[in-house]
Amino acid sequence: MAVDNLVEVTKLRKEFGGLVATDDVDFTIPRGSIVALIGPNGAGKTTFFNQLTGVYKPTSGSIVFDGVEVRDLPPHAITELGIGRTFQNIRLFSQMTAIENVLVGMHCRLSSGIIGSILKTGKVRREEAEARDRARELLTYSGLPRRHGERAGNLPYGDQRRLEVARALGTNPKLLLLDEPTAGMNPQETADFTAFVRRVRDEKGLTVLLIEHDMKIVMGVSERITVLEYGAKIAEGTPGEIQADERVIEAYLGKGAAA
């Protein structure tokens, strides 16, 4: 049976002057899977994310998302197609409330135009009320049931990470990109967040691609792992295969981590 790939990347290359950040990478993400992208600092992982989301335009290569070539599309168009993301460094609107941050994420799914918004027609008011209800549901689902009215910048670090996910879910994505989602979390927050990622996939039918340095999380939650080094793909396989790959051990894991 042929694999149903949500994402198919072919010969993806990104050059910054003389630096090759991604070196002709071939990469697929099966629909409904949890896939991890790992590698040393500077391996090109976030650059790869930025090309998937339209932040960077590839130098060459192809990115097909759900049957659509997206390599030349701007970020907002890619979001509308169904790719949501979080960031390595949290990028919330810190002076806005939690619910307002989620509403920003939902904006691409609202149909009200500028005129309707100015006139506050009945249709616009209904859509805004429905959007607020949906935002509250997403905050509760993401583990923030009593944080709706709090400023994002005042939330504990782990809750800010959850709020970023809630905002990404507000875009109604098919693919959720998580860039080092547990960075800075304590062990309990990390365990809770890992379980949450699995639950999002299982309950909402999303596909998840994550960058993560914590190998316990990567090996515990991922169904497939791709390894980058100096922008090139050096290995790909199941967690067991990656742990046993001598090149990955030498380049990144080290013998202790592999064991």
Side-chain angles (χ1 to χ4, degrees):
M1 181 182 295
V3 175
D4 180 15
N5 290 321
L6 181 63
V7 177
E8 295 184 346
V9 173
T10 306
K11 299 297 181 186
L12 191 67
R13 187 176 187 86
K14 180 61 182 175
E15 299 175 1
F16 295 99
L19 173 67
V20 178
T22 49
D23 189 0
D24 295 340
V25 174
D26 292 329
F27 185 85
T28 60
I29 306 175
R31 194 182 302 270
S33 64
I34 300 178
V35 175
L37 188 63
I38 68 172
N41 288 331
K45 303 181 298 295
T46 297
T47 299
F48 186 86
F49 263 32
N50 285 337
Q51 290 173 92
L52 287 183
T53 55
V55 176
Y56 294 157
K57 182 178 177 180
T59 302
S60 60
S62 171
I63 304 171
V64 176
F65 172 71
D66 205 16
V68 178
E69 175 62 67
V70 301
R71 59 157 286 173
D72 292 322
L73 295 181
H76 72 272
I78 292 175
T79 298
E80 289 174 4
L81 285 173
I83 298 182
R85 74 171 294 181
T86 66
F87 294 87
Q88 183 176 352
N89 300 312
I90 293 174
R91 295 186 187 179
L92 295 169
F93 298 101
S94 61
Q95 297 305 310
M96 296 170 66
T97 64
I99 195 169
E100 287 169 343
N101 270 273
V102 178
L103 287 169
V104 169
M106 296 174 66
H107 178 74
C108 68
R109 301 299 173 197
L110 302 181
S111 61
S112 302
I114 295 175
I115 300 301
S117 298
I118 293 172
L119 298 177
K120 288 291 183 182
T121 62
K123 178 185 176 182
V124 169
R125 290 196 299 271
R126 284 193 300 275
E127 187 176 52
E128 287 179 350
E130 290 169 0
R132 283 191 168 272
D133 288 343
R134 174 66 175 151
R136 292 187 189 96
E137 290 175 5
L138 287 173
L139 287 168
T140 299
Y141 183 82
S142 301
L144 303 170
R146 293 175 294 277
R147 302 287 196 178
H148 301 179
E150 292 191 36
R151 285 187 178 181
N154 294 339
L155 294 175
Y157 188 85
D159 286 350
Q160 290 189 27
R161 286 286 183 191
R162 287 178 176 271
L163 177 54
E164 268 212 317
V165 174
R167 184 176 65 183
L169 292 176
T171 68
N172 196 24
K174 300 172 186 175
L175 173 66
L176 181 62
L177 306 180
L178 303 174
D179 194 346
E180 295 193 33
T182 66
M185 289 188 180
N186 63 43
Q188 186 58 54
E189 287 174 330
T190 296
D192 290 345
F193 192 90
T194 303
F196 173 59
V197 170
R198 190 178 288 111
R199 185 162 64 93
V200 166
R201 190 279 302 271
D202 293 344
E203 295 179 357
K204 295 192 174 295
L206 297 185
T207 304
V208 179
L209 173 62
L210 72 150
I211 294 172
E212 183 55 69
H213 283 292
D214 188 325
M215 287 301 102
K216 184 177 180 181
I217 295 169
V218 170
M219 299 302 172
V221 76
S222 307
E223 293 152 356
R224 198 183 72 191
I225 301 168
T226 298
V227 188
L228 296 183
E229 183 186 27
Y230 300 117
K233 184 171 75 173
I234 63 169
E236 190 169 65
T238 65
E241 290 169 341
I242 294 302
Q243 283 177 299
D245 190 299
E246 289 296 331
R247 187 173 179 184
V248 177
I249 293 171
E250 180 180 348
Y252 183 54
L253 293 180
K255 295 189 181 297

